[in-house]
Amino acid sequence: MIKAIMNGCNGRMGHVIVDIAGNDNDIEIVAGVDKFGENNYSFPTFKSLAKVDVECDVVIDFSNASGVDELLDTCVSKNLPVVLCTTGLSEQQIAHVKEASSKIAILKSANMSVGVNVLMKVLKEAAKTLAGSGFDMEIVEKHHNQKLDAPSGTAMSLAEVINEAAGGDYEFVYDRSSRREKRPEKEIGISAVRGGTIVGDHDVIFAGTDEVITFSHRAYSRAIFGKGAVEAAKFLAGKAAGMYDMADALYLN
């Protein structure tokens, strides 16, 4: 039985993951961490990871970007692998993640769902052919009105995947309102919509002459991210130091 700490246990995703793990015979949440205090869980809750005195194998993090540096330092000091699901990290924090991965196992993914990660694999092949055949590439992402970062981490990951597959020389564009010119050939437009309670929609559009191909993913429940995070934790426990992603956990590489 894998023993996990849920960092951000009082958040929406924290509750989802605790419920999913409670019905999984291979993993158990043995402690929670949340700076806003305790909850009525069956396991102990701490205000910081540094104060956790419960033996465990892995940390699942769904918290806030502001706490990621402290999280990484504590995981390194405790030699704990961490599934890092928090998005909106700065360049300095991403560098910190890479540095920490030389000492502990870190699985970082902008999107934990099985479907999105399979989509990324499909997009690699599509972009190789379609970009070379004159298709323009655009991404539209939609999320609820409480989401803080834009574009989403998933949209950026999708853009990076198709850019790399298409040769790596495309520019990402987020706003065209300040210019008046034709669309350059080597750009990928990324648009963000925020409204209502949309869990997460992503469309990758390949627009060619007289035809359009759209790859879409729709999330109807946060449970898909929770399931992925739990599977990632089971994969990561016991792994050697290094950077991993959901493609590794799902054996898509």
Side-chain angles (χ1 to χ4, degrees):
M1 174 75 76
I2 293 169
K3 299 178 180 179
I5 294 173
M6 183 64 233
N7 190 51
C9 63
N10 291 345
R12 285 179 293 187
M13 283 306 305
H15 286 288
V16 169
I17 291 171
V18 169
D19 288 343
I20 291 171
N23 293 303
D24 192 312
N25 294 327
D26 297 322
I27 190 169
E28 176 187 7
I29 305 296
V30 294
V33 176
D34 200 290
K35 67 179 182 180
F36 296 110
E38 298 182 358
N39 208 309
N40 58 347
Y41 291 124
S42 60
F43 50 78
T45 304
F46 302 83
K47 289 193 174 182
S48 73
L49 183 60
K51 294 181 179 179
V52 176
D53 57 3
V54 179
E55 182 181 346
C56 69
D57 304 305
V58 64
V59 176
I60 302 174
D61 171 64
F62 255 109
S63 57
N64 188 282
S66 63
V68 164
D69 291 308
E70 181 181 355
L71 167 75
L72 292 170
D73 289 340
T74 305
C75 285
V76 169
S77 69
K78 290 177 175 282
N79 194 30
L80 284 174
V82 57
V83 177
L84 187 60
C85 306
T86 297
T87 60
L89 304 187
S90 66
E91 291 184 7
Q92 291 82 0
Q93 287 176 313
I94 292 172
H96 193 178
V97 172
K98 187 172 293 188
E99 177 190 358
S101 72
S102 67
K103 302 170 184 175
I104 58 172
I106 298 178
L107 191 151
K108 180 181 178 297
S109 180
N111 192 299
M112 306 302 294
S113 82
V114 173
V116 164
N117 284 277
V118 172
L119 173 62
M120 288 182 182
K121 183 173 184 178
V122 171
L123 286 173
K124 290 178 184 179
E125 297 304 315
K128 288 177 185 177
T129 300
L130 296 175
S133 299
F135 281 71
D136 297 322
M137 299 183 290
E138 297 278 318
I139 296 172
V140 179
E141 59 96 341
K142 305 172 188 175
H143 284 86
H144 54 87
N145 58 21
Q146 301 299 302
K147 186 169 177 61
L148 301 180
D149 56 316
S152 68
T154 299
M156 293 305 302
S157 293
L158 294 172
E160 289 163 3
V161 163
I162 60 178
N163 178 36
E164 181 180 355
D169 56 351
Y170 282 73
E171 177 186 2
F172 298 164
V173 177
Y174 312 103
D175 181 18
R176 297 184 173 109
S177 63
S178 63
R179 74 188 199 197
R180 187 173 177 81
E181 62 183 33
K182 294 193 304 181
R183 182 191 194 281
E185 179 183 349
K186 293 290 186 175
E187 77 174 24
I188 298 172
I190 307 172
S191 303
V193 176
R194 296 289 175 267
T197 58
I198 302 171
V199 175
D201 290 359
H202 292 86
D203 294 320
V204 182
I205 303 163
F206 293 87
T209 302
D210 299 328
E211 60 179 333
V212 175
I213 302 169
T214 302
F215 294 87
S216 300
H217 180 271
R218 302 282 181 266
Y220 295 104
S221 166
R222 289 181 176 82
I224 64 170
F225 310 126
K227 291 174 184 175
V230 168
E231 290 304 313
K234 291 192 288 185
F235 165 82
L236 196 64
K239 288 291 188 294
M243 281 295 302
Y244 301 86
D245 58 26
M246 279 302 292
D248 296 314
L250 297 172
Y251 303 100
L252 295 174
N253 289 327

